[in-house]
Amino acid sequence: MSEVTKNTKLWGGRFDESTSSDVEAFTESVSYDKNLYTQDIRGSKAHSEMLAKCGILSEKDMTDIHEGLDKILAEIEQGTFIWKPELEDVHMNIESRLTELVGDAGKKLHTARSRNDQVATDFRLFVAEAMTKWRTLCLEFIAVLLERAQKEVNTLLPGYTHMQPAQPVSLAQHMMAYAWMLKRDIERIDDALKRVLISPLGAAALAGTTYNINPEFSAERLGFAGEFDNSMDAVSDRDFAIEALSAGSIIMMHLSRFCEEIIIWSSPAFGFIRLSDAHSTGSSIMPQKRNPDLAELVRGKTGRVYGSLQQMLVMMKGLPLAYNRDMQEDKESFFDADRTVANSLSMMAAMIENCAFNRERMSMALKAGFLNATELADYLAAKGIPFREAHKITGHAVAYAEKAGKALEELSLEDLQSIEPSIQEDVFEVLDYEAAVNRRNSKGGVGRVSLFRQFEDMKKFVRESEGK
């Protein structure tokens, strides 16, 4: 049976009896929101400075509060702080301990604020720090891709559409495709941070406060880019976390696509890539196995981040203004998504940095699917044959070569001229795979000139992004 005693909560003035122990266990959040302790202490310091600046708190009380908060921070980091579930959350645990340390000054800290704007402030700071970390990891992964790509300009392999061999491409182009995806991920983070870094501190419970406070001061002290415009929106808004989870989900989608290719490429049926021993696992029963478990796990963990985004959207969709306790459920899912995104980016960068590409197998695969057929069609079109007709003629040539068990470039000039008399000896220069790749120097194309432009553009982006 649940225990009921006299209410001793910091908010328990109007209650005669205590919350039941079952309800306390169900409603507590300190078991996970204690992850916000650094943000909570930072926010309390900024709030007390603002109160002192506005003459609401004495300088001595502010100094005592800061010294007490510093002691609490040390206790937490040293592992000696005692977290009490009955105090519900990180905020009440810290405030209670602060009052033990500094007396009445600790009781004055909560003047002109509520746990509603306090938790919103802490969470925004945490989300901003998480996204900044993702941004750094995206940049580091881009650097790995860029370095590998510059070494693989001359490595050719089949490019696929519908998972069928389509046209020859360079491995460098393939690596750079993911670098450009990560660049957009960084741009999404940068744009979202403009909305994440808006301070809600000073909105109080929902209606603002009667105290003559200075929200701009505390916002600036905490590194926010601005402060709230509407107190009800400030305490009940979680779209900043939803936007962050959306950015994280897109990052994971990009990583998952790459993982899918790594898994396929590492199969002996392809043999394009060999993952390092440090990034592979074996089988408990089949000694020959080299499993791409790391790539599979990143692919699988993508669903966790999608789930966090969906959970947050569902949680918020029916909430009236302003704060509702449902919002307590915003943190665990974000904490999990933060760890997942950060660890996945880190693991992927290390895996690609240390893998080996099998250039010979990639080269052999080029000849298996008539990947130079488009070159023949373009060659015929350049001779004045309408492209649709050139396409049809090339299809006949592919069928002829397939029956003969040869690649297009292995057919004789006589064979080709039997299909289309206008074909001349120069066709074999066009059918060369390396030539086919390097002819494509249009913007973003696979040719060497285009690739070197991409390298320089990406290096410039990395330099500029590192300076932000």
Side-chain angles (χ1 to χ4, degrees), residues 190-209:
D190 287 345
D191 189 60
L193 280 171
K194 298 173 187 175
R195 290 173 289 281
V196 174
L197 287 169
I198 299 297
S199 174
L201 194 56
L206 78 161
T209 178

Side-chain angles (χ1 to χ4, degrees), residues 160-413:
Y160 296 85
T161 61
H162 310 279
M163 268 310 293
Q164 300 298 313
Q167 290 180 281
V169 298
S170 72
L171 181 56
Q173 178 81 342
H174 213 106
M175 296 290 103
M176 290 303 295
Y178 287 101
W180 289 112
M181 294 180 206
L182 289 164
K183 173 181 180 287
R184 294 193 297 276
D185 290 327
I186 290 170
E187 291 168 341
R188 261 183 290 274
I189 288 171
D190 287 345
D191 189 60
L193 280 171
K194 298 173 187 175
R195 290 173 289 281
V196 174
L197 287 169
I198 299 297
S199 174
L201 194 56
L206 78 161
T209 178
T210 58
Y211 290 92
N212 185 23
I213 61 171
N214 186 343
E216 295 88 348
F217 176 84
S218 49
E220 185 178 346
R221 293 292 290 169
L222 289 168
F224 283 109
E227 58 284 335
F228 67 95
D229 293 305
N230 181 288
S231 60
M232 295 180 74
D233 178 47
V235 298
S236 64
D237 166 37
R238 292 297 182 271
D239 59 25
F240 67 91
I242 292 170
E243 192 168 5
L245 287 171
S246 177
S249 293
I250 295 172
I251 290 171
M252 292 301 296
M253 177 269 292
H254 289 151
L255 298 185
S256 187
R257 292 183 70 187
F258 202 178
C259 286
E260 177 76 4
E261 293 191 313
I262 290 166
I263 293 162
I264 292 170
W265 286 6
S266 65
S267 165
F270 277 74
F272 290 177
I273 191 172
R274 182 181 177 87
L275 300 177
S276 71
D277 288 352
H279 298 97
S280 303
T281 63
S283 165
S284 63
I285 190 172
M286 295 167 282
Q288 82 281 7
K289 295 289 291 296
R290 288 179 61 87
N291 297 328
D293 281 13
L294 181 59
E296 291 172 359
L297 280 169
V298 171
R299 185 177 61 180
K301 286 176 182 292
T302 298
R304 291 175 69 130
V305 182
Y306 289 2
S308 296
L309 172 60
Q310 181 69 6
Q311 180 265 334
M312 193 84 75
L313 286 165
V314 172
M315 178 192 76
M316 292 299 298
K317 74 176 182 65
L319 297 188
L321 291 174
Y323 180 82
N324 294 269
R325 191 67 177 268
D326 311 51
M327 294 180 190
Q328 180 172 298
E329 293 299 308
D330 58 3
K331 295 169 197 66
E332 279 187 289
S333 58
F334 189 88
F335 293 159
D336 184 77
D338 173 32
R339 286 190 297 271
T340 302
V341 173
N343 289 340
S344 296
L345 281 165
S346 179
M347 291 294 100
M348 286 289 291
M351 180 170 60
I352 297 303
E353 187 174 22
N354 292 284
C355 73
F357 295 109
N358 190 329
R359 299 175 181 88
E360 185 178 350
R361 287 295 294 269
M362 291 179 176
S363 180
M364 289 170 57
L366 283 172
K367 299 181 180 181
F370 304 102
L371 275 76
N372 50 3
T374 304
E375 308 311 307
L376 179 57
D378 286 344
Y379 170 85
L380 295 172
K383 288 185 173 293
I385 298 174
F387 182 79
R388 284 300 169 202
E389 184 64 25
H391 187 285
K392 183 177 181 180
I393 294 168
T394 301
H396 291 322
V398 168
Y400 184 97
E402 195 169 36
K403 289 178 183 177
K406 296 180 179 180
L408 278 176
E409 69 274 14
E410 292 173 340
L411 295 176
S412 67
L413 180 59

Side-chain angles (χ1 to χ4, degrees), residues 78-92:
Q78 292 164 9
T80 60
F81 186 89
I82 299 173
W83 296 101
K84 300 176 181 178
E86 65 271 19
L87 292 177
E88 299 179 354
D89 55 36
V90 61
H91 323 294
M92 300 296 266

